[in-house]
Amino acid sequence: MISVTKAINIIGQQVKPLPSEAIPLGDSIRRILAEDIVADTDLPPFDRSQMDGYAVVAADTVDCPVDLNIVGESAAGRGWRKKMRRGEAIRIMTGAPVPKGADAVQKIELTRESGEALRILEPTEPGRFIVKRGSEIKKGKAVVNAGEQISENMVAALAAFGYFTVKVARSPKIAIIGTGSEIVEIDKKPSRDQIRNSNSIMLDVLCRKWGAAPVILPNVRDEISDLKSRIAIAARSSDMIVLTGGVSVGKYDHTKTALSELGAEIFFEKVRLKPGKPAVFARLADTLVFGLPGNPVSAAVTFHLFVRQAILLAQRAVKPDMPQGFAVASVPVKGTKERDVYLPAKLSTTADGRLIAEPRRFSGSSDFVGFARADALIVVPRGTNIAAGEAAKIVYL
Ligand code: AMP
Ligand code: MG
């Protein structure tokens, strides 16, 4: 049995980085950038008014009320190009360039306009309501770096600098295979002794979430020859294969045998982990193979710890690890002697600012109903327990 850290290191050594491709910005969410995003202009590109009002010289407004001459107008997309002088004002709209000579904007609510005359009712000060050129970012600076995952919140910044396509790492192609003679597709009514294949679709959405391109292959029965041929075919067109089921020591657990007989190199087959001890990691020719336990919670936990890392590393992500933190356990959490426990938990906050982790009702690694509302895993290192109220390490799902 090897530690979780060792297992992750082994995976890291085997993953080969994928080449990059250009894709439309709107399709790039969750993909990993393969280029730095660089500002091609200052932002804002000119001193910009934050208000509808009047561009003025602040020194003219010290003794209010004061009357100024309106000599022009600066609208968004149509600035006023001459130089404004003392005693003058320019009507200005939100987003419009502040004319030369002006050093402040007074908002419309604090003014009265009649004809060419403008009365300023309250003083303003230099810089007021002006967003200075380049104050958000300077031309040539990187806004987002290669290796970062593109989020919805980044899209506006990328668009503003003309990245209508972006260079990202190609998505790893992943074949997902559910195994087990008891497994039926999810649109079927299971007969006696059968269960629906909830793993494959779960892994499919998880793979997509981390930027991979998965396909779900038909379920395979616990027949070694079927399993071998399915794995061999899948390996030809996939960067990775994720199997579930058949990795324990039962009479019909054939995954490891199938892999060995196909000539795969098996890197590990037992991890000091609960749930997820029998997780297998292997390589068949150039394809990485993950054999995850069939129990849905074990499959989810081992996906997050191992497959997710591999997917992100293949895309050259700078932060492939699960984000970590600390939270206060709401109840005592028992560890085990031999294995690190990763217990599904729901996070919440208290009014005094503490983060609380409440273990999900958890009746074992098959309890996907309990897992359904988990958003983190509480880590209980082997040989330790966590008392109620004690801070514990968590990893975010
Ligand atoms: P195994 O890892 O094959 O020993 O399976 C462990 C448990 O997980 C058994 O109760 C299986 O019925 C269940 N299981 C295996 N594969 C799946 C699947 N694709 N979806 C849901 N449950 C599964
Ligand atoms: Mg099975």
Side-chain angles (χ1 to χ4, degrees), residues 208-230:
R208 280 177 214 286
K209 179 168 175 182
W210 301 102
V215 283
I216 298 177
L217 300 184
N219 305 332
V220 187
R221 290 175 306 140
D222 291 316
E223 286 289 343
I224 194 145
S225 56
D226 290 1
L227 196 55
K228 276 169 72 177
S229 68
R230 189 63 56 77

Side-chain angles (χ1 to χ4, degrees), residues 178-180 182-183 195-200 222 244-248 253 292-296 368:
T179 76
E182 76 281 32
I183 306 297
I195 59 163
R196 292 197 180 95
N197 174 5
S198 53
N199 284 346
S200 290
D222 291 316
T244 59
V247 286
S248 317
D253 289 333
L292 309 185
N295 267 319
F368 49 82

Side-chain angles (χ1 to χ4, degrees), residues 144-381:
V144 187
N145 292 107
E148 288 190 67
Q149 190 173 45
I150 301 172
S151 72
E152 291 85 347
N153 294 345
M154 287 175 189
V155 169
L158 272 59
F161 299 119
Y163 286 86
F164 59 97
T165 64
V166 278
K167 252 174 92 180
V168 295
R170 172 167 82 62
S171 293
K173 287 185 245 168
I174 301 187
I176 296 170
I177 306 176
T179 76
S181 298
E182 76 281 32
I183 306 297
V184 298
E185 305 296 347
I186 53 177
D187 59 352
K188 299 273 175 343
K189 180 108 187 119
S191 59
R192 232 181 69 192
D193 303 337
Q194 292 185 325
I195 59 163
R196 292 197 180 95
N197 174 5
S198 53
N199 284 346
S200 290
I201 188 130
M202 170 186 79
L203 294 167
D204 183 74
V205 298
L206 287 172
C207 283
R208 280 177 214 286
K209 179 168 175 182
W210 301 102
V215 283
I216 298 177
L217 300 184
N219 305 332
V220 187
R221 290 175 306 140
D222 291 316
E223 286 289 343
I224 194 145
S225 56
D226 290 1
L227 196 55
K228 276 169 72 177
S229 68
R230 189 63 56 77
I231 294 172
I233 293 166
R236 280 183 223 140
S237 53
S238 322
D239 300 304
M240 300 179 198
I241 298 175
V242 182
L243 297 145
T244 59
V247 286
S248 317
V249 290
K251 181 171 168 204
Y252 299 104
D253 289 333
H254 296 312
T255 303
K256 277 182 280 187
T257 318
L259 285 169
S260 321
E261 287 182 9
L262 286 167
E265 185 176 355
I266 297 182
F267 300 108
F268 62 78
E269 52 183 280
K270 259 194 203 91
V271 188
R272 271 188 227 290
L273 169 65
K274 185 184 174 182
K277 173 175 153 189
V280 175
F281 176 57
R283 186 163 47 75
L284 179 57
D286 283 333
T287 303
L288 298 180
V289 184
F290 292 90
L292 309 185
N295 267 319
V297 180
S298 312
V301 168
T302 49
F303 174 90
H304 283 288
L305 286 171
F306 304 135
V307 186
R308 171 169 154 181
Q309 299 252 357
I311 292 174
L312 288 171
L313 284 170
Q315 297 173 89
R316 286 166 282 158
V318 284
K319 283 197 197 139
D321 326 324
M322 295 176 78
Q324 296 185 2
F326 292 90
V328 175
S330 64
V331 294
V333 186
K334 268 186 87 97
T336 72
K337 255 222 221 94
E338 279 223 299
R339 294 184 278 159
D340 298 335
V341 175
Y342 284 71
L343 189 66
K346 176 92 193 129
L347 298 177
S348 60
T349 50
T350 59
D352 61 348
R354 283 173 313 143
L355 184 64
I356 306 290
E358 184 189 354
R360 299 300 301 158
R361 175 182 66 84
F362 190 65
S363 47
S365 46
S366 59
D367 188 1
F368 49 82
V369 179
F371 185 73
R373 286 198 176 76
D375 38 27
L377 302 172
I378 301 176
V379 185
V380 193

